[in-house]
Amino acid sequence: MIFELIQGVNDMGKASEIKENTDCRVPLGMTPRRRLGEILVDAGVLAETDLKRAILLQEQSGERLGSILVSQGLINEDVMLSALETQLGIRKVHLARYIISPDVAQLVPEIFARANRVFPIEKTEDRLTLAMADPLDVFAMDDVRIMTGLEVEPVIASDIEIQAAINEYFGTGPGTKLAREVEAQADEAVPEAEKEKHEDAQVLSQPAVRLANAVIREAVKARASDVHIEPQEKEVRVRYRIDGVLREVMTFPLNLGPAVVSRIKVMAGMDIAERRLPQDGRVELRLDGEEIDLRVSTLPTIYGEKVEVRILRSRGVVGNLEELGFLDKDVDRLKNALQNPNGIILVTGPTGSGKTMTLYAAIQHLNTEEKSIVTIEDPVEFRIPGVSQVQTNPRAGLTFAQGLRAILRQDPDIVMVGEVRDRETAEIAVRFAMTGHLVLSTFHTINAAGALIRLTEMGIEPYLVASSVTTVIAQRLVRKVCPYCVETYEVDDATWDAWFTLAPEIAREVEASRGRTFKRGRGCRQCRNTGFLGRTAICEIMNIAGDIRSLVMEGAPAEAIEEAAVRGGMTKLAIDGVSKVLLGITSPKELGKVCAVPKVIGGF
């Protein structure tokens, strides 16, 4: 492989022809390096017979020896790197734990980084820390030293992590290469004074099309649930909602804003000429083999149209009840509730609390050949084989209430209603339950007890609520501590005792295994320096029985109903969250953001 680094390399006595790391030739004046196979054999992690076999394969294929050893299953990559660390005294690193500055990443050209499997991760004064898949490649180190003018300190990293870092920093992410390219092409966009005249042309302009497509593509890759494209005074800001939190990922020139918005409106079948009124649209697309459903909403603001895109993975994998994040005892309570042949099961919580996912997991649990299951949803977020799913269409007159009336004539065993929004829907759901059907739905209340009170306030008779509702689940979503950068930290005795009082069984188990410690994330590349990766549910599950039914019929307040539920075995929402903190699943501060935590708890 030939790589022209700088003019004058040959004058310095460096070889201009650089070969793969299997070549035994070295630059003049340097001691011949030890070969990878020899080191692994000396370390006792590779047999000589296996090495000889790998060398034969290398001669036939021309691949790197390390890649062959790993692909043939002769050695584990992590074991190989650990052996090299021990034998060579070169530190092994996990790139996922590094927050790498783009300025440092760009010190080495992309083509060189990919060809030599290296990536710069840190610069201090005149020294550059270089992650290398092959720390024996003295040619690559020497080339980086020449091109940067810095002393190179090699560290060992896995090939997969290095490739991932290169893809992130040199790939098509909206915050990197694409953003710079769009910035450079921004002058080609139609001037503000002519944008209305040339709107159609802008929609098809190359920068706008590529930018709009990339923003959506990268949002899907980043696990975002929503995309916000927001015109500001001097630029357009793009934010992704990831794990329930909005994060800015890029900005682009303001004069490209109308073209990008129009491009998305065309995709969603919306009127690009109408910019004074809000609009809604929908896009179905296939991205990297996955079917994606986009719900698009526009809103006129003083600086231009704001776009919100909800990303729904309509054919994603629906998890089972155990994967929701509920503790074992709550999973058992929910499964027992689902065994009832009739009644209403309500899942309550604010928007974005995972209610619909819980319903889907319940439907998946109930979905058998013997059961007829029909759902009516707005929108249909996941498609489940064997289940008849109905999409509401208010413009055509298909509301939840209208759909439920039609479903009643379809001989269903189980009905899922996306949301109980009004009295009419609630009355039909109660009628379903009273005639021998199992009904699952969502509701907007703060806690489980509040759902029963809210139904009576909507005009449903208390005796109907008491006799038809069998279970209420209140839940929230909390972010999980990132497993790539997790660390434990000790808490003082007073704080620990406060948490211990609220969840003694969990606290006793944790104290025995790892002492009086909590867990948190330091922040790394995998979690985008937040310390959190993914979300899980905290919940309270209230089964409606004896005392609770009597209290509902008497018109008792929510507090009295909740106290009766706790006496009957319900774990309150905040206490379930306390258990998740003690187990190291989430952090104290994260719990405090999503539910009211008892004031006795310290450590926030």
Side-chain angles (χ1 to χ4, degrees), residues 246-425:
L246 278 173
R247 305 173 189 171
E248 182 176 319
V249 295
M250 73 171 292
T251 60
F252 58 84
L254 189 62
N255 59 344
L256 271 179
V260 172
V261 171
S262 294
R263 164 64 179 168
I264 294 176
K265 288 168 73 173
V266 167
M267 293 169 63
M270 300 158 70
D271 184 359
I272 65 172
E274 179 56 77
R275 294 182 291 277
R276 299 166 298 177
L277 296 174
Q279 294 188 65
D280 295 303
R282 177 181 177 183
V283 184
E284 291 183 347
L285 54 88
R286 190 173 184 83
L287 185 61
D288 295 333
E290 181 181 8
E291 292 191 12
I292 306 295
D293 195 4
L294 307 179
R295 301 303 167 99
V296 182
S297 172
T298 64
L299 182 71
T301 72
I302 58 174
Y303 296 120
E305 287 183 283
K306 177 186 182 298
V307 177
E308 201 280 337
V309 181
R310 170 65 58 87
I311 301 174
L312 305 173
R313 291 168 169 82
S314 57
R315 292 194 184 275
V317 177
V318 177
N320 55 41
L321 294 175
E322 287 77 11
E323 294 172 344
L324 294 174
F326 295 171
L327 296 178
D328 291 343
K329 61 182 181 61
D330 288 322
V331 173
D332 292 339
R333 289 170 70 89
L334 181 51
K335 285 183 176 179
N336 289 335
L338 292 171
Q339 289 178 356
N340 292 325
N342 59 275
I344 299 176
I345 297 176
L346 292 175
V347 185
T348 75
T351 301
S353 58
K355 301 186 298 296
T356 303
M357 189 56 68
T358 298
L359 284 187
Y360 277 122
I363 290 295
Q364 188 84 308
H365 179 75
L366 294 167
N367 188 15
T368 63
E369 185 180 350
E370 294 80 17
K371 299 286 179 64
S372 171
I373 304 176
V374 184
T375 75
I376 179 163
E377 309 168 59
D378 181 25
V380 174
E381 297 190 22
F382 287 89
R383 300 175 188 178
I384 306 177
V387 175
S388 301
Q389 296 175 271
V390 179
Q391 168 77 53
T392 60
N393 188 347
R395 292 181 181 178
L398 181 56
T399 62
F400 279 116
Q402 290 288 344
L404 281 172
R405 290 193 186 94
I407 290 171
L408 187 59
R409 297 187 290 272
Q410 292 290 315
D411 186 33
D413 296 300
I414 300 166
V415 177
M416 187 187 99
V417 185
E419 182 183 348
V420 175
R421 295 179 177 175
D422 50 41
R423 176 178 176 175
E424 186 179 14
T425 304

Side-chain angles (χ1 to χ4, degrees), residues 59-77:
E59 291 173 352
Q60 296 170 6
S61 65
E63 292 184 45
R64 296 174 185 270
L65 181 61
S67 300
I68 291 174
L69 291 173
V70 173
S71 64
Q72 292 292 313
L74 299 175
I75 191 171
N76 178 278
E77 184 174 32

Side-chain angles (χ1 to χ4, degrees), residues 36-201:
L36 174 64
E38 296 172 356
I39 291 175
L40 296 177
V41 170
D42 290 346
V45 297
L46 181 67
E48 283 196 37
T49 54
D50 290 336
L51 173 61
K52 291 177 180 178
R53 181 153 53 96
I55 291 175
L56 288 175
L57 291 173
Q58 181 192 29
E59 291 173 352
Q60 296 170 6
S61 65
E63 292 184 45
R64 296 174 185 270
L65 181 61
S67 300
I68 291 174
L69 291 173
V70 173
S71 64
Q72 292 292 313
L74 299 175
I75 191 171
N76 178 278
E77 184 174 32
D78 191 58
V79 171
M80 180 175 69
L81 296 181
S82 297
L84 290 174
E85 179 183 35
T86 302
Q87 292 290 310
L88 301 177
I90 299 176
R91 181 165 51 101
K92 182 178 71 172
V93 299
H94 293 287
L95 295 189
R97 298 177 181 173
Y98 278 77
I99 302 169
I100 303 168
S101 166
D103 293 337
V104 173
Q106 292 165 24
L107 288 173
V108 175
E110 177 184 0
I111 187 173
F112 182 86
R114 288 191 186 279
N116 294 275
R117 300 179 303 157
V118 300
F119 196 77
I121 60 175
E122 199 171 38
K123 177 180 178 294
T124 54
E125 297 181 354
D126 61 346
R127 181 173 294 274
L128 180 68
T129 303
L130 185 70
M132 306 182 69
D134 178 11
L136 301 174
D137 192 346
V138 293
F139 296 109
M141 279 189 284
D142 207 42
D143 292 341
V144 172
R145 184 181 299 111
I146 294 171
M147 71 175 69
T148 63
L150 301 170
E151 288 300 314
V152 175
E153 177 189 353
V155 293
I156 307 171
S158 76
D159 196 5
I160 293 175
E161 286 195 345
I162 288 176
Q163 293 297 336
I166 293 172
N167 290 337
E168 178 174 340
Y169 284 88
F170 293 105
T172 56
T176 54
K177 179 186 269 186
L178 178 65
R180 293 193 297 271
E181 182 178 332
V182 169
E183 184 77 34
Q185 297 183 36
D187 293 337
E188 300 176 12
V190 179
E192 183 73 18
E194 301 180 21
K195 71 178 182 182
E196 291 190 15
K197 179 179 177 182
H198 297 283
E199 190 72 35
D200 291 342

Side-chain angles (χ1 to χ4, degrees), residues 426-499:
E427 287 177 340
I428 298 173
V430 168
R431 190 189 313 161
F432 261 66
M434 299 300 290
T435 54
H437 300 85
L438 182 61
V439 180
L440 294 85
S441 188
T442 67
F443 210 36
H444 286 286
T445 57
I446 296 174
N447 54 26
L452 304 177
I453 304 301
R454 176 70 182 127
L455 284 172
T456 60
E457 290 176 348
M458 291 175 69
I460 308 301
E461 292 293 336
Y463 76 91
L464 289 175
V465 174
S467 58
S468 62
V469 180
T470 59
T471 302
V472 182
I473 306 160
Q475 70 177 64
R476 303 288 189 277
L477 292 179
V478 293
R479 292 184 294 172
K480 296 191 294 185
V481 173
C482 176
Y484 295 97
C485 59
V486 62
E487 64 181 8
T488 59
Y489 65 99
E490 294 184 359
V491 295
D492 59 76
D493 291 341
T495 298
W496 178 262
D497 290 342
W499 289 78

